[in-house]
Amino acid sequence: MAAPRSFLWSRRIFLTLLAGFVLLPVYVMVSSSLKPLQDVSGSFRWMPSGFTVRPYFDIWKTVPLADYFMNSLIVAGAATVCSVVIAVFAAYAVSRYRFRGKRVFTVTVLSTQMFPGILFLLPLFLIYVNVGNATGIALFGSRAGLILTYLTFSLPFSIWMLIGYFDSVPRELDEAALVDGCGPLRALFRVVVPAAIPGIVAVAVYAFMTAWGEVLFASVMTNDTTRTLAVGLQGYATQNDVYWNQVMAASLVVSIPVVAGFLLLQRYLVAGLTAGAVK
Amino acid sequence: MTTLTTPPPSKERAAPPAGKRPSRLRLPARLRRVSLPYLLLLPALLLELVVHLIPMGVGIVMSFKELTQFFIRDWGAAPWTGLDNYKLSVDFDAPVGEALLHSFFVTVAFTVLSVGLCWLIGTAAAVFMQEHFRGRGLLRAVFLIPYALPVYAAVITWSFMFQRDTGLINHVLHDQLGLTDSRPFWLIGDNSFVALLTVSVWKGWPFAFLIVMAGLQNIPKEQYEAAAIDGAGMWQQVRRITLPSLRPVNQVLVLVLFLWTFNDFNTPYVLFGKSAPEAADLISIHIYQSSFVTWNFGTGSAMSVLLLLFLLLVTAGYLLVTSRGRKTADV
């Protein structure tokens, strides 16, 4: 299939412009994080007048970035592990069993996707506060409350994707295991889960990214000791003196774990989307 | 976890030969088979209940109460006000309703433009990258960066670029190209809509790209080969095969993009803070401000419920139209 010149040229021009658009902020982030303060306080410069790695040392002192990092890691990690396990069970049930209320379940779970986060924020805020007052269990302001909340953000999408993925695993495989005397859970973990690893990795990546990037609940439901990166990073930008080089260095540092993980696992994500979302 | 992965000392396997009755403590096999799917669903159901369904119920109750900061510790004690919060929200001649209506229109315009552009760019990029060429893998990885970057890191960088005095945008527009007489403000005033849209499209199009790319893999190669034999050029193949084959994918994609964009809070919040400029006052920020800044949770809840009703209506209508379209297309 020989592509005509018009097609090749359109492709070249379009993709070049698009790559420029995508990479512009990345260039700004990387270059500004290596500039001395006077370079980022005046008019923008494409080429820095000096080169320094100081911002990368200062960011940890200006705000307690390491603490925020730890909070984000714990919250996002716990939410990811739990939501993957729960989604695996739910998706297995929907994919392999016929039962009453199956449609109601899938429709309900999927439709929670469309609800504005702000709709849950106010009631959850009040519920967490009241539960705290009544039982002494600190959900509001604690990591546990945030983990609980984030769990359900990624859950609908994860279940949806995994149902598609499990459906693509031949039924005969786990039926054979059942015939051989495995219990259903054993069949799930010995046969279905290994065959669906790409989908499960995709779901885990998605869940982690959702939790790592969430701002709304993190900004309302955390306090000084449980603050995540999403809130903590704004600490640099709202002060009177904005140390833009530090802001950029910190942005880069908090992005590296997710971007690296994502680029490593993107093949799985695309494969997972193909099986799960595009049907 | 281990208790779940290790099989229960397999009762089926240890089951006595046929004819003997199983021990009385066990549930009958039939009942177990019936209840198993529900047991598997239980954790997901409980969570959905605790974090989505119950709060939704609470939110609806709240919207009928006069819930100000005095009642936060015990919101049940807040006085009922009937439909007052709703009346306040939709009284478009009074300041509260007028502001809500304005914010609604801003959100609609923003969503339509953002979804349209994301879809267009994502589809074009996916179609152009359908065939192999040198550097394709690298380019694909580059294109996924906006999707992978945490929202706040990306948006903070954009807000730096949009700064009036120190930002790249004004440096290029004013200093280098001389397109503007002075350095315009981008994060306040009317320009803030453009700034918000730019960031939203930058962040959102890779998702469309991912989904369309996945959809392209499902188009059989033979269709293109047959078309090529019939003498269809590259552009014709895109128009006659690629785009029609993507229809089912697009229907889901556009709906998901619409809902995410319409409800987006993160982008405007990081870009503008707790109160957005009027030109970019998206509805989620507006509700947030009505609730957490002016501390009127009752009105905020009523607005949320109205927003939800609107989204439900639009989604139902959309699904109805697209499913009918799909049916007639199949005939």
Side-chain angles (χ1 to χ4, degrees):
Chain A
M1 193 159 34
R5 272 165 166 266
S6 70
F7 188 86
L8 290 179
W9 273 108
S10 316
R11 179 165 83 185
R12 211 166 284 163
I13 293 169
F14 179 81
L15 294 180
T16 309
L17 286 177
L18 193 56
F21 177 52
V22 165
L23 286 174
L24 196 63
V26 179
Y27 172 79
V28 170
M29 199 190 271
V30 175
S31 68
S32 306
S33 73
L34 296 167
K35 287 175 182 176
L37 190 61
Q38 82 253 16
D39 269 20
V40 289
S41 330
S43 182
F44 182 83
R45 297 152 169 266
W46 287 97
M47 296 308 287
S49 71
F51 171 88
T52 171
V53 289
R54 264 202 77 88
Y56 285 91
F57 293 97
D58 293 340
I59 48 175
W60 308 93
K61 289 175 254 162
T62 314
V63 304
L65 191 65
D67 294 344
Y68 300 156
F69 220 102
M70 206 58 210
N71 287 332
S72 279
L73 217 53
I74 292 171
V75 170
T80 303
V81 172
C82 297
S83 86
V84 168
V85 172
I86 293 168
V88 162
F89 285 131
Y92 182 61
V94 173
S95 167
R96 291 301 197 259
Y97 291 92
R98 301 179 63 171
F99 55 91
R100 271 165 164 277
K102 180 164 155 174
R103 240 190 103 68
V104 176
F105 172 79
T106 43
V107 170
T108 311
V109 164
L110 273 184
S111 54
T112 55
Q113 277 260 312
M114 83 164 77
F115 299 165
I118 195 84
L119 179 75
F120 305 117
L121 177 69
L122 320 174
L124 263 183
F125 168 72
L126 293 187
I127 290 174
Y128 283 8
V129 168
N130 281 356
V131 167
N133 290 344
T135 64
I137 303 171
L139 285 175
F140 181 75
S142 73
R143 294 191 196 114
L146 215 52
I147 292 170
L148 188 67
T149 318
Y150 287 173
L151 261 178
T152 48
F153 282 171
S154 46
L155 206 53
F157 192 74
S158 306
I159 294 176
W160 187 34
M161 255 172 76
L162 282 183
I163 293 173
Y165 223 96
F166 286 176
D167 281 348
S168 71
V169 176
R171 227 162 242 269
E172 290 77 28
L173 286 181
D174 44 310
E175 272 164 9
L178 288 174
V179 170
D180 286 350
C182 276
L185 286 180
R186 199 178 159 92
L188 168 63
F189 282 103
R190 288 290 166 83
V191 181
V192 182
V193 166
I197 283 294
I200 293 172
V201 173
V203 161
V205 173
Y206 177 78
F208 192 83
M209 280 172 46
T210 313
W212 193 261
E214 207 281 332
V215 179
L216 173 59
F217 286 77
S219 59
V220 175
M221 295 203 177
T222 55
N223 58 30
D224 287 348
T225 56
T226 55
R227 198 154 290 165
T228 61
L229 290 169
V231 196
L233 221 57
Q234 290 166 47
Y236 299 97
T238 54
Q239 285 158 3
N240 287 335
D241 291 314
V242 183
Y243 301 113
W244 280 113
N245 50 356
Q246 286 188 45
V247 180
M248 294 297 106
S251 300
L252 200 64
V253 167
V254 308
S255 301
I256 283 169
V258 271
V259 175
F262 181 81
L263 292 183
L264 276 175
L265 300 170
Q266 51 130 334
R267 276 181 198 291
Y268 288 109
L269 193 86
V270 175
L273 284 172
T274 322
V278 183
K279 277 254 165 134
Chain B
M1 247 349 285
T2 42
T3 51
L4 290 171
T5 43
T6 50
S10 190
K11 286 171 185 161
E12 270 116 315
R13 211 181 330 169
K20 287 196 181 174
R21 286 174 56 201
S23 105
R24 268 162 195 227
L25 284 171
R26 276 176 49 198
L27 289 167
R30 218 180 82 82
L31 189 62
R32 264 192 310 147
R33 214 175 308 130
V34 172
S35 63
L36 182 70
Y38 297 107
L39 281 177
L40 289 170
L41 286 183
L42 197 64
L45 270 175
L46 277 179
L47 275 173
E48 286 293 328
L49 205 66
V50 169
V51 181
H52 283 149
L53 300 178
I54 293 179
M56 209 160 74
V58 170
I60 293 171
V61 172
M62 276 164 59
S63 68
F64 295 107
K65 290 193 160 219
E66 191 188 323
L67 200 59
T68 52
Q69 69 266 45
F70 307 113
F71 298 105
I72 285 180
R73 293 194 72 82
D74 185 15
W75 61 274
W80 292 93
T81 58
L83 288 172
D84 280 5
N85 288 320
Y86 289 92
K87 283 183 192 146
L88 192 66
S89 305
V90 296
D91 182 3
F92 300 136
D93 295 325
V96 173
E98 198 190 344
L100 182 67
L101 190 67
H102 169 82
S103 144
F104 174 77
F105 284 132
V106 168
T107 313
V108 170
F110 165 75
T111 306
V112 169
L113 284 172
S114 176
V115 171
L117 286 169
C118 284
W119 177 82
L120 208 65
I121 298 176
T123 304
V127 168
F128 278 133
M129 287 178 64
Q130 201 175 358
E131 299 221 358
H132 287 272
F133 57 85
R134 260 184 57 202
R136 178 170 168 263
L138 179 72
L139 205 55
R140 191 170 82 163
V142 165
F143 283 170
L144 294 180
I145 290 177
Y147 183 71
L149 275 181
V151 185
Y152 46 86
V155 180
I156 283 181
T157 307
W158 275 103
S159 93
F160 175 45
M161 290 162 68
F162 279 122
Q163 293 294 311
R164 182 169 179 258
D165 296 321
T166 57
L168 172 143
I169 306 285
N170 276 347
H171 178 64
V172 172
L173 288 184
H174 180 71
D175 305 350
Q176 295 193 313
L177 299 177
L179 291 174
T180 52
D181 294 335
S182 60
R183 294 168 162 268
F185 284 103
W186 289 100
L187 299 177
I188 49 176
D190 286 348
N191 289 336
S192 56
F193 186 83
V194 179
L196 182 62
L197 188 64
T198 309
V199 181
S200 172
V201 171
W202 183 86
K203 186 89 192 97
W205 78 267
F207 181 73
F209 172 66
L210 263 178
I211 297 288
V212 174
M213 240 179 9
L216 289 178
Q217 289 172 10
N218 293 343
I219 304 177
K221 279 240 174 326
E222 294 78 37
Q223 286 194 19
Y224 290 107
E225 282 157 15
I229 289 169
D230 290 345
M234 205 74 181
W235 290 113
Q236 268 180 314
Q237 290 177 23
V238 169
R239 254 189 47 215
R240 296 291 161 89
I241 302 175
T242 313
L243 292 180
S245 311
L246 284 176
R247 256 186 72 173
V249 174
N250 279 334
Q251 282 168 3
V252 178
L253 172 64
V254 167
L255 182 65
V256 170
L257 277 179
F258 166 78
L259 291 171
W260 283 353
T261 315
F262 206 94
N263 292 330
D264 190 16
F265 175 87
N266 296 337
T267 313
Y269 182 75
V270 180
L271 204 55
F272 305 120
K274 285 184 171 143
S275 57
E278 220 180 291
D281 190 22
L282 294 192
I283 203 132
S284 50
I285 286 278
H286 190 81
I287 295 176
Y288 177 88
Q289 216 208 338
S290 311
S291 315
F292 283 92
V293 180
T294 55
W295 296 102
N296 199 339
F297 291 97
T299 319
S301 302
M303 291 173 177
S304 306
V305 173
L306 289 173
L307 174 61
L308 177 65
L309 285 177
F310 170 77
L311 291 174
L312 280 174
L313 270 177
V314 171
T315 307
Y318 180 85
L319 290 177
L320 214 69
V321 168
T322 52
S323 69
R324 191 181 297 152
R326 202 184 290 190
K327 261 178 219 146
T328 47
D330 285 346
V331 170

